[in-house]
Amino acid sequence: MLAETWMLDLAASPWALAVLFAVVVADAFLVVVPGEAAVSAFGALAVTTGSPPLIAVIAVGAVAAFCGDAACFAIGRRVGLERWRWMRGPRVSAAFGWARTRLDRSTAVVVFTARFIPFARLAVNLVAGASGSPAPRYLAAVAIAAVGWSTYQASVGAIVGIIVPGGPVVAVIVSVVVAVGLGVVVDAAVARLSRRRTAE
């Protein structure tokens, strides 16, 4: 099967982890880039093909997530929240307001929660940088969240790879679907909780 051959070649490629790193870093800036799905897919490949090693997938995913979030924090610190036109749109401004309110209440909790919600994490990182959050403390929270996120996403893929028959192609497809589905559920749950707290 062509797809299976391609996936086996990708898994064995010395560039596999570099590709994963690039996708996850890009996901920090461009919410349409599927960073979560990529880590889950590589987690599935790790257990169905043996390459790349699962621990390497987790480590690279975590480092890439940290680098992307730290870069967004640095951009917020340097350019603020109004430099570019897209930042001044009503939806983006509302997201920045949401992030600012949450960061004032509990930095660690909001950083960890936002790591699992693509646009929220972009808003939180930019706002934290622009508002002058102390870099050492904030980036420590970002690092912990990145490790937790990468471990979770890779584990989703690995578990799917173990329990779903059909080889690496099926495992990757199912792991991506599961990762996206879980992301939607988490996003909806956080939004509902946020609305409830606002109402109170």
Side-chain angles (χ1 to χ4, degrees), residues 8-199:
L8 290 172
D9 289 344
L10 174 63
S13 169
W15 294 100
L17 293 175
V19 169
L20 176 62
F21 182 89
V23 170
V24 174
V25 169
D27 180 43
F29 304 94
L30 304 169
V31 296
V32 296
V33 176
E36 289 87 352
V39 177
S40 293
F42 273 88
L45 282 176
V47 299
T48 55
T49 69
S51 182
L54 183 59
I55 189 65
V57 171
I58 293 171
V60 169
V63 171
F66 173 80
C67 289
D69 289 353
C72 287
F73 176 83
I75 290 170
R77 175 74 42 102
R78 186 164 183 83
V79 307
L81 301 177
E82 298 183 350
R83 174 74 62 86
W84 297 305
R85 186 168 61 182
W86 67 267
M87 292 178 159
R88 298 189 292 272
R91 282 188 68 186
V92 175
S93 296
F96 287 160
W98 174 89
R100 186 177 290 111
T101 300
R102 300 307 183 278
L103 282 167
D104 288 342
R105 293 178 185 172
S106 179
T107 299
V109 172
V110 76
V111 167
F112 196 91
T113 303
R115 174 97 279 285
F116 291 82
I117 307 171
F119 191 76
R121 82 173 155 255
L122 173 62
V124 166
N125 289 320
L126 289 172
V127 168
S131 61
S133 295
R137 188 178 72 177
Y138 184 79
L139 293 179
V142 166
I144 294 169
V147 172
W149 172 85
S150 185
T151 302
Y152 166 77
Q153 297 295 346
S155 297
V156 167
I159 291 169
V160 169
I162 291 169
I163 65 176
V164 175
V169 175
V170 174
V172 166
I173 292 170
V174 174
S175 69
V176 168
V177 171
V178 170
V180 171
L182 288 173
V184 170
V185 170
V186 170
D187 195 0
V190 170
R192 183 175 181 180
L193 182 61
S194 177
R195 287 193 299 268
R196 184 180 299 172
R197 287 182 175 177
T198 301

